Amino acid sequence: TLSGSAAGNYSLTQPAGLTADITAKGLTISGLTADNKVYNATTSATLTGTAALVGVEAGDVSNVTLGGSAAASFASAGVGTGVAVTVTGYSISGTAATNYTLAQPTGLSADITAKGLTISGLTADNKVYNATTAAILSGTAAIVGVEAGDVANVTLGGTAVASFATAGVGTGIAVSVTGYTISGTAAANYTVAQPTGLTADITAKGLTISGLTADNKVYNATTAATLTGTAALVGVEAGDVANVTLGGTAVASFATATIGAAKPVTVTGYTISGTAAGNYTVAQPTGLTADITAKGLTISGLAASNKVYNGLTPATLTGTAALVGVETADVADVTLGGTAVASFA
């Protein structure tokens, strides 16, 4: 418009012939976060939230629609913190969509954490008690869970050490394992858990008894035998010597009561006690032998008769001959017989 004291002398023509461009308005997308994930050897990422357009003019809200198929990707596949995530695939449509351009979501990041591997193929071996927790493993250790593309780049190594939870005798005792490691160009993307769930038995250690011999004896119609020497336990682990004591009442017996040479003698009655005794069994002494020799008998009940000299040595006996010394159990089975001949010296 014109104003001023002389403005009435003029008329005004508005500017004409001017041109300019209207460029599309850039829109952004909000409402999304990238999810952390466990390493899987790919760059694939997932998004959480509801995508919403930011910047659409109020009058166009109903005429611009967000669509497309979003695809999210980490910048790299390896383990890391705050790894950048890029997004593609969003688009806009609607009657006013041509007035806008759309920027894919930016500034997203998430963590890729190491994938846990386990170890298979192992069993723990049963063992005989040896006063230690040391355990032995059988089988071939193999790692479980390595992504297919990493198999050649992750190697199981280290020196495994297996240990029973306790040293004492038991069934199904837990066995723990340490020492396995992984190496290789892709190893940093994984953690390895030591083998778990292993159990095995610790069985009692057998002890023997030394220091004894069986004594020879004269026949007495019984199998009773006597032992000589000092019984001593053989095989007790060094750390248990003070905690395993040999006791009981030994009973030794010949295999049969009759005379003979090197007759086997069996022994029963030895026991063990002490705080560590439950970790052992004791075998009674074996391999003992001794001789049973014949018992000497005498004859009683006889007397020699006096006689008048007749130039001969024959003598006459009076009385009834009786055996002296036969064992009671044999009285009915030992009979005195023969024809006695007596002679003067």
Side-chain angles (χ1 to χ4, degrees), residues 119-339:
I119 298 173
S120 68
L122 297 174
T123 57
D125 297 341
N126 297 332
K127 77 169 186 177
V128 174
Y129 173 80
N130 65 352
T132 75
T133 58
I136 296 174
L137 303 175
S138 292
T140 302
I143 45 178
V144 177
V146 176
E147 297 292 326
D150 290 340
V151 168
N153 300 315
V154 180
T155 302
L156 181 64
T159 301
V161 177
S163 302
F164 283 95
T166 60
V169 166
T171 302
I173 302 171
V175 175
S176 61
V177 181
T178 60
Y180 280 112
T181 59
I182 52 174
S183 61
T185 55
N189 296 314
Y190 298 92
T191 58
V192 63
Q194 302 297 314
T196 58
L198 301 179
T199 64
D201 301 339
I202 299 177
T203 54
K205 180 178 182 180
L207 305 179
T208 57
I209 298 172
S210 67
L212 298 174
T213 58
D215 297 337
N216 298 331
K217 77 169 186 177
V218 174
Y219 172 81
N220 65 354
T222 74
T223 57
T226 57
L227 302 174
T228 297
T230 302
L233 286 172
V234 177
V236 177
E237 296 292 325
D240 290 339
V241 168
N243 300 315
V244 181
T245 302
L246 180 64
T249 301
V251 177
S253 301
F254 284 95
T256 62
T258 55
I259 68 169
K263 295 173 66 72
V265 174
T266 59
V267 181
T268 60
Y270 280 112
T271 60
I272 54 174
S273 61
T275 55
N279 295 315
Y280 298 93
T281 59
V282 63
Q284 302 299 314
T286 59
L288 301 179
T289 64
D291 301 339
I292 300 177
T293 56
K295 181 177 183 180
L297 303 179
T298 59
I299 298 172
S300 68
L302 296 175
S305 300
N306 297 329
K307 77 170 185 176
V308 174
Y309 171 75
N310 61 359
L312 301 174
T313 59
T316 303
L317 301 175
T318 62
T320 302
L323 287 171
V324 177
V326 177
E327 296 292 326
T328 303
D330 290 341
V331 168
D333 299 317
V334 180
T335 303
L336 180 62
T339 301

